[in-house]
Structure formats: structure tokens, C-alpha cells
Amino acid sequence: YQARVDHLLGVIAAARRVNHMLVRETDRQRLLQSTCDLLTQARAYQLAWIGEPREEGRRVVPRAAAGAGRDYLDGLHVTWDDT
């Protein structure tokens, strides 16, 4: 039980930091990258990434990433259709 509570408190703290960045940061790419960095540091996630939808091919293309698992994104093909 305590482990779940600690995890949720960590998620809430990370979300609060991201909210603060949303108010201060004016550069979109820095905001995306800082968010990924924060998640991998604050929550010790192996990988955090943010993707952007592209109409051509109905793909989601990584825009920012952080963590040791970034190489995983090189071969990743995410779509929002049935493929």
C-alpha cells in the first residue's frame, strides 16, 4: 500500500513541476524536452517521450525524449489507425 501511495505522490509532484514549466517556458521544444527530462529524473523512468501526430501515414513522430532507452524510438512505428 505504501509503495503505491509513494508512487502516486511522485507522479503528482512531477505533474506539478510540468505545470510550472507550462507557465514559464515560451519555447515549445524546450518545454517538451524539459518535460521528458523531468519525468526520467523525478520518477526514474527508463524512457519518457512526447510524440506529435502527422497526417501523412497517420503516424506519431517523436518530438522529444529522455532516458537511457532513447534508442528504442529509432525503430518505433506508432500509428493511430489499425496498422
Side-chain angles (χ1 to χ4, degrees):
Y1 173 79
Q2 187 60 45
R4 290 189 76 178
V5 169
D6 290 342
H7 175 78
L8 289 174
L9 290 174
V11 169
I12 290 168
R16 186 173 293 133
R17 289 183 189 140
V18 170
N19 283 336
H20 287 291
M21 281 191 300
L22 284 169
V23 173
R24 291 188 321 258
E25 187 58 68
T26 58
D27 182 88
R28 182 173 188 255
Q29 187 58 42
R30 270 198 315 255
L31 173 65
L32 297 177
Q33 187 60 54
S34 295
T35 300
C36 291
D37 292 338
L38 184 142
L39 290 171
T40 56
Q41 294 165 6
R43 295 298 314 137
Y45 291 129
Q46 292 295 312
L47 173 66
W49 69 280
I50 298 172
E52 178 178 73
R54 298 274 170 85
E55 187 60 40
E56 64 277 357
R58 295 186 178 254
R59 296 185 57 219
V60 178
V61 179
R63 290 283 306 212
R70 272 195 259 179
D71 294 344
Y72 170 77
L73 297 175
D74 293 339
L76 188 65
H77 183 78
V78 177
T79 64
W80 71 80
D81 61 10
D82 291 338
T83 62

